[in-house]
Structure formats: C-alpha cells, structure tokens
C-alpha cells in the first residue's frame, strides 16, 4: 500500500531544502575562508578563525542532517501515514536551535569546536562568561530534541505498519519465517537511522546537560573520559546517519530512473542489520590515541571500523551498478548525481579505514588526513545526494529543464572536490595538523591548492542552487489536502 504525500509535507520538505541549500553554501564559504587564511592569502584573527571553524563543523553536520531528514520524510511518506505537522515542528525547532548556536559563537565568542569536549565549555565560561557556552549547548540540545521527536514518531509508525522495528529491519526474512521481498529500502534505512540516531542523541544529551550543569555549578562534575565517549558516540553516529538518510534518495531515485524496483531481499536485510550494530560501535576509533581507554575497546574500534565499510556500502554500490546495467536509463541531472554519490561514499571510506588502523591513527588522526576523508565522504557522498534530491524534487513537484550547465557543473564539482580532498590527504601525509589557524611555510602550498579548489566547488554548488531555486514552484498546491490511500 502506498500513500499520496500531503501538500503540507511537500511544502515542509521544500522549506528544509531551501534552508539546506543556503546553509551549505555559507558553510563552504567558511571552509574556504579558513583555507585562505592558512594559505596566507588573507589574514583573519585566530579568534575569528576558531569561531568560523566551530560554526563550519557543527553547521555542516547539522545541515546535512536536515537535508537527509527531508529525503527520508519525503520517500517514507509513500509507505507510512505521516503527519507533516511533526516535520514542521522539527523545522521550527531546528531554526531556533541554529539561532541559539550562532548567538553563542558570534555573539558571545564560543569557539571550542563542534565537539565541545568537556570541560572546555566550562573553562571557556571562566574566561569569556557563561553565555556563549550556554547558548551553544542549549542550541545543540534543542536541535537534538527536534530530531528525537521525529525519530520517535517515525518509530511509532514503523511499528504500527510492520509490527515492530525488528520486522522493518527484515528479521522475519533473515530467520526464514517469510520469503520473498520485505519492507521497502526506505523503511529499512529509516529504521536503522531511528535506532542509531536516537541512541546518539540520548548520549549527546547526557553530556550536554552535564556540561550545562557544570557551567552553572562547578561542583557538579562528570568523568572526562566518560564525557569524551558520550560526545564522540553522539557526534560520530549522528554524522554517519546523514548518509543513511540521504541514501534513500539513491534507492528511490535510481529505481524510478530505470523503471526497475529496488527490492529488499535477505542479503539486503543482513547488510543493514550489521550496519546498525557496527555504526553504534565504531565511534571508538576516535579514541585510539587515548591510553586510558581499555585495549579491548580500541581493538573493537579498529576491527569493526574495517567491517562497517562492507555491508551497506557494498550492497548499495553493487545494487546501483546492477539496477543501471542494461536498463536503458536516460541520464538526468539528479540520476547522475545519485549514481556518482556512490563513488564519493566508497572513496571517502578508504582513507577512513586507513585512519582506523591503530598504528596509523597514532600518527595521522590529528592531521588533515581526517578532514580529507570526511570531506570526501560528506561532500561527494552526502551533499551530492542532497543536491541530487533537490533536482529530483523539482522534477516531481516543481518545474525544471535540463540544459548544458548540468553536466558542466557536475564535472566542475567532482573534479575540484577530488582536488580539495587530495590536498587534505597530502597535507595529512606530511603531518599538517588540523584545527590550526596558522601554518608553517612548508604547509602553505597545500592550503592554497585547497582554497583554489574550494572556490570552484562553491561555483559549482552555486549553479546547483540557482537551478534548484529556478525550478521551485508552490509544491503541495494540489487540491487534495488529505492523505489518499492507493491500493
């Protein structure tokens, strides 16, 4: 059974995408500003640099989550009777949270980085006053609550429709109780995200609330190592789930482009179940340099970081190749971006797996190698999926015409994103530290290459965005205001 998406849901998705497009461009500008400063092409104060760095890190992860959520909601609305007012409520909470975060950073000079590692916020409060840290932490908490409400609501409907989250993850098919094809990939991926991100947000809420209480009353303390575990469990899982929401567009979009259904079989279910478990475990590869962490936990971080690259990515990438092969597909802007995003996802995982090796991690983790793999994963994977969905949304709900700018902008984007990530990985190879406002002379050239590539990435992204805004019409203006079931 499928449903027609409510007009309000389409409008809410459109608002999410408009906000996502604007903030992505702003975050890219922030990133280039940092590279220009490190490359000695402009000069900004260290204070401003670290504020920009904080905003860039938390902003890009947050906005990728907002765009991913829009994708998840749009396609999941075909299979579940979702009330769009819940999505609107999340959008309002997101905006309020963003305003609070920006006030904390630029109004009250909070610049501790997106990780806000305890006890840095309380130490910052001692120097610059508590307002910055409180606004920042409260904003993150508000964002988390908004997402948690969404995930709880989606979990409720997944349970109602499929009989439980374990069933929407295909356990009946894995255990042989049912045969054939099970819940659609959109439902499977959404179930994984609900489980993982709800866990992540709760972990983050614990450490954020503890940090807020510590600022208000320094006598209230938390073990720093526990706080670091909670922080990275939150951050790593939340960042990973951006792509697990966005990849739903690949499943649904390529299926539509090829007129071939992307069905959930036993192998597909097993892959997503393993990915659910591994995603919850592998944040420990961020702690490989911490001597106080139990050795068994570090080994788990390494082994399962290797394993996590296989289940979903291989199944999805291989599935994308199979569904396109001899399909007679007529490539459009959005279908090409969906297909190329598989390359971005896979290529970004390779340097990540290398960094998750303990002996390599001890040397490379605090270098630019890490933003190299993350920008590859995020920029050519997640953000590419989101840009592709913006075009797909216009094709379905708005108006758009293909033109020669499409292929040009894709080539421009991917060519120079590879250049940007290559400059980061090279910088990591020569031990250029990440999160430094000023660089030694021998490091400057890689920064300048990265800045040059970043400017051209912004140009390509600007073309994507302009095309998206030109194609928008009043989505959801149809007369039907109710969810109409289609047999």
């Amino acid at each position: 059974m499928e449903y027609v998406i409510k007009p309000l849901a389409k409008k809410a998705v459109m608002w999410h995408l408009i906000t996502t497009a604007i903030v992505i461009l702003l975050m890219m500008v922030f990133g280039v500003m940092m590279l220009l400063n490190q490359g000695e092409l402009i000069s900004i104060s260290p204070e401003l640099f670290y504020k920009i760095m904080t905003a860039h890190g938390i902003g890009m992860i947050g906005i990728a989550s907002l765009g991913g959520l829009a994708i998840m909601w749009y396609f999941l609305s075909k299979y579940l009777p979702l009330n769009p007012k819940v999505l609107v409520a999340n959008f309002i909470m997101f905006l309020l949270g963003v305003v609070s975060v920006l006030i904390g950073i630029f109004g009250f000079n909070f610049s501790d980085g997106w990780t806000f590692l305890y006890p840095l916020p309380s130490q910052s409060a001692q120097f610059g006053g508590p307002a910055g840290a409180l606004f920042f932490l409260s904003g993150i908490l508000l964002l988390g609550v908004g997402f948690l409400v969404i995930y709880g609501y989606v979990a409720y409907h997944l349970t109602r429709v499929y009989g439980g989250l374990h069933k929407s993850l295909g356990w009946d098919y894995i255990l042989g109780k049912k045969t054939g094809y099970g819940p659609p990939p959109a439902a499977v991926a959404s179930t994984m995200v609900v489980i993982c991100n709800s866990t992540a947000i709760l972990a983050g809420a614990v450490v954020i609330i503890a940090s807020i209480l510590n600022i208000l009353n320094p006598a209230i303390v938390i073990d720093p190592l526990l706080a670091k575990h909670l922080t990275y469990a939150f951050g790593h899982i939340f960042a990973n789930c951006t792509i697990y929401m966005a990849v739903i567009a690949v499943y649904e979009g390529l299926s539509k482009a090829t007129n071939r259904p992307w069905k959930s079989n036993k192998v597909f279910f097993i892959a997503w179940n393993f990915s659910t478990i591994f995603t919850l475990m592998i944040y420990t590869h961020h702690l490989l340099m911490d001597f106080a962490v139990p050795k068994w936990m570090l080994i788990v971080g390494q082994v399962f970081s290797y394993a996590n690259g296989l289940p979903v990515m291989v199944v999805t990438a291989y599935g994308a190749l199979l569904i396109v092969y001899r399909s007679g597909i007529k490539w459009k802007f959005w279908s090409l971006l969906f297909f190329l995003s598989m390359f971005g996802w896979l290529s970004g995982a390779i340097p990540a797996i290398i960094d998750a090796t303990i002996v390599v991690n001890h040397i490379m983790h605090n270098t630019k190698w890490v933003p190299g793999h993350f920008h590859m994963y995020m920029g050519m994977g997640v953000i590419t999926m989101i840009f592709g969905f913006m075009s797909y949304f216009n094709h379905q709900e708005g108006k758009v015409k293909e033109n020669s700018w499409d292929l040009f902008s894709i080539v421009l984007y991917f060519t120079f994103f590879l250049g940007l990530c290559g400059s980061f990985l090279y910088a990591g190879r020569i031990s250029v530290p990440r999160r430094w406002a000023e660089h030694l002379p021998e490091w400057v050239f890689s920064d300048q290459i990265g800045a040059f590539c970043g400017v051209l990435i912004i140009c390509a992204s600007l073309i994507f965005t302009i095309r998206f805004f030109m194609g928008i019409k009043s989505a959801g203006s149809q007369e039907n205001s109710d969810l109409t079931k289609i047999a």
Side-chain angles (χ1 to χ4, degrees), residues 101 105 131 167 183 186 222 251 269 302 304 330 337 391 410 449:
V101 167
I105 295 173
K167 291 187 177 181
I222 184 174
Y251 293 139
F269 287 129
Q302 173 172 318
F304 287 100
K330 294 181 179 179
L337 282 179
S391 175
I410 291 174
I449 294 295

Side-chain angles (χ1 to χ4, degrees), residues 357-375:
T357 306
I358 293 175
V359 293
V360 175
N361 187 276
H362 286 174
I363 300 170
M364 304 290 282
H365 193 70
N366 283 332
T367 72
K368 276 197 166 184
W369 183 274
V370 171
H373 93 71
F374 189 75
H375 279 73

Side-chain angles (χ1 to χ4, degrees), residues 25-172:
L25 283 173
L26 179 60
M27 293 302 104
M28 286 181 173
V29 170
F30 280 177
V32 170
M33 286 178 64
M34 288 189 287
L35 287 169
L36 290 171
N37 181 74
Q38 291 169 333
E40 299 180 354
L41 297 173
I42 64 171
S43 179
I44 59 178
S45 68
E47 292 79 10
L48 179 58
F49 178 92
Y50 291 114
K51 286 193 284 187
I52 290 174
M53 184 190 75
T54 301
H56 177 76
I58 197 70
M60 192 55 83
I61 293 174
I63 206 60
S65 296
L66 188 74
L69 181 65
I71 291 171
M72 187 180 89
W73 188 280
Y74 181 82
F75 289 114
L76 202 57
S77 294
K78 291 167 54 180
Y79 308 107
L80 303 177
L82 301 178
N83 188 335
K85 292 180 181 178
V86 179
L87 186 62
V88 174
N90 172 76
F91 184 69
I92 293 171
M93 294 180 73
F94 184 89
L95 293 180
L96 292 174
V98 167
V99 169
S100 182
V101 167
L102 292 177
I103 290 174
I105 295 173
F106 296 106
F108 293 97
N109 302 318
F110 183 84
S111 57
D112 291 5
W114 78 263
T115 51
F116 52 87
L117 278 175
Y118 173 90
L120 283 178
S122 61
Q123 292 175 350
S124 296
Q126 294 173 15
F127 289 101
L134 291 176
F135 268 110
F136 182 87
L137 294 174
S138 298
I140 300 300
L141 190 61
L142 187 59
L143 290 170
V145 170
F147 279 101
L148 197 60
V149 169
I150 285 278
Y151 296 138
Y153 180 74
V154 169
Y156 168 74
H157 281 286
L158 285 168
T159 300
R160 283 190 61 193
V161 171
Y162 298 109
L165 296 182
H166 64 297
K167 291 187 177 181
S168 57
L169 272 178
W171 284 22
D172 285 349

